[in-house]
Amino acid sequence: MRISRSGDYIAQIRLIGGRVFEKLLAASEAETFNGPQGKILDALWQEDGLSANEIGKKTGLANSTLTSMLDRMENAGLVKRLRSEKDRRVIRIFLGAKANECKEQYRKVSEEMTEIYFQGFEEKEIEEFEQYLLRVLENVRKAEN
């Protein structure tokens, strides 16, 4: 098998895309959260009450990064931590009072990013591309364990 540049391309897309996302977020005058915090909120909007470990798996954020980020988000009223009633060792993360105020803003910026990413693509191409990316993601997750 030839050496692929795909990993380099994915890394560049992630870095440049992150900067563009932050720029769009700033232009939308979002002051409550940043891009990585938006990923955490998005994971919780999909399923509230996740553990930090589950959020890390869904967002790809490292646990060390996640802990300090959750601290700041909790102080800002975006999330709250509660001990699990089923297992007192587990702390669950729930959306805070300010989180729902940000949801529409995050959705709009995410839509703008999607338009940027897939400009000139047909719907079928987007679907195929995402399936390939999911396969690559599954492969690297397996290798991580």
Side-chain angles (χ1 to χ4, degrees):
M1 183 181 285
R2 70 176 178 80
I3 295 177
S4 170
R5 298 281 322 233
S6 299
D8 292 336
Y9 300 149
I10 291 169
Q12 288 181 46
I13 291 166
R14 182 178 175 272
L15 291 171
I16 297 167
R19 290 194 299 264
V20 172
F21 188 86
E22 290 293 340
K23 186 172 127 182
L24 293 174
L25 205 53
S28 77
E29 299 178 1
E31 297 176 6
T32 313
F33 64 94
N34 60 29
Q37 290 173 340
K39 287 182 183 181
I40 294 168
L41 291 172
D42 189 50
L44 292 171
W45 286 321
Q46 291 175 44
E47 184 180 352
D48 203 12
L50 296 170
S51 69
N53 192 35
E54 291 167 330
I55 292 171
K57 286 179 183 174
K58 286 183 174 283
T59 62
L61 295 168
N63 283 340
S64 57
T65 304
L66 199 53
T67 301
S68 60
M69 206 173 293
L70 287 170
D71 288 342
R72 288 191 299 277
M73 291 175 75
E74 190 169 30
N75 289 336
L78 292 169
V79 299
K80 56 188 173 191
R81 293 175 170 127
L82 298 172
R83 289 210 179 272
S84 170
E85 293 177 7
K86 295 178 183 173
D87 184 345
R88 302 288 297 154
R89 297 170 294 176
V90 176
I91 296 176
R92 298 269 171 210
I93 315 300
F94 292 90
L95 292 165
K98 287 189 176 181
N100 286 326
E101 298 170 15
C102 308
K103 190 173 185 176
E104 183 62 19
Q105 188 174 37
Y106 184 82
R107 186 193 61 74
K108 284 180 182 177
V109 173
S110 294
E111 282 180 6
E112 286 181 71
M113 281 304 299
T114 298
E115 288 175 21
I116 290 167
Y117 282 139
F118 295 112
Q119 184 177 1
F121 281 70
E122 299 291 326
E123 189 63 35
K124 185 177 189 250
E125 292 175 308
I126 296 169
E127 289 172 16
E128 287 176 4
F129 179 67
E130 288 181 345
Q131 289 303 312
Y132 294 138
L133 286 175
L134 277 173
R135 285 171 54 191
V136 171
L137 180 58
E138 288 172 18
N139 290 340
V140 295
R141 280 186 174 153
K142 285 178 194 171
E144 183 180 41
N145 295 329

